[in-house]
Amino acid sequence: MTTQEDTEATASGEESSQAEKMVIIAASGELDKAWPVMLLSTTAAAYGMDVTIFFTFWGLTIIKKPEAGISGEDWRQKMLGAFKKGSPEKLGLSTMNFGGMGAKMMKGLADDNNVASVQELLELAQDMGVNLWPCQMTMDLMGLTDDDLIPGLGQPAGAGSAISLMKDAEISLFI
């Protein structure tokens, strides 16, 4: 969102020193949705944008440690952890997954075409300063702790924090 001062500065030929903002809500933990989240965030960061990804619900699997295993205290939380494994290496496709064969074929195509993996893009995003925020409410719901997630994340945040960022962002996406 542009303020009146930004508009006046631009009109007078001055450049605004504040970076444009992009916020992505990552709500899906499927490979074919995690890839666009990571590609768009790293591309925006390369353009000098201030980028935040808010990981909620199944999107948390993108930033879950591979060794986190089954978490939670409640049997339902444990069942969610058993059925929805975490980490970019374990993500399936949202369609045509075929018991993991679809994801394996897609990853093979990506390798053949020199497309970075979700894991590589996640590491690049961290190196580029992309803000990675896990959703606190979803962590509580699924029985996840900070120890279940990869290092280098921002503090868990709530939906209000994501909405506040989105209000001021030039680009907001829900994937």
Side-chain angles (χ1 to χ4, degrees), residues 3-118:
T3 64
Q4 185 169 352
E5 290 101 12
D6 291 337
T7 304
E8 290 170 3
T10 304
S12 67
E14 299 173 31
E15 287 296 318
S16 175
S17 62
Q18 188 175 8
E20 292 180 312
K21 295 179 181 166
M22 172 188 247
V23 178
I24 302 174
I25 307 298
S28 177
E30 280 86 23
L31 180 62
D32 50 315
K33 296 178 184 169
W35 238 318
V37 166
M38 301 317 305
L39 285 166
L40 291 167
S41 66
T42 53
T43 301
Y47 274 97
M49 295 184 80
D50 179 8
V51 182
T52 299
I53 306 172
F54 181 70
F55 295 90
T56 189
F57 282 86
W58 303 126
L60 281 173
T61 59
I62 300 168
I63 55 172
K64 192 174 173 187
K65 289 179 184 172
E67 67 275 6
I70 297 172
S71 58
E73 296 177 15
D74 184 289
W75 68 270
R76 295 165 294 182
Q77 293 170 330
K78 291 181 186 303
M79 291 293 287
L80 289 172
F83 288 112
K84 199 68 169 173
K85 305 280 191 257
S87 89
E89 293 88 14
K90 296 179 183 174
L91 302 179
L93 292 176
S94 63
T95 184
M96 300 188 314
N97 192 45
F98 304 119
M101 280 300 299
K104 187 173 180 161
M105 289 188 306
M106 187 66 74
K107 289 176 185 178
L109 284 169
D111 285 343
D112 293 347
N113 289 282
N114 298 314
V115 174
S117 70
V118 171

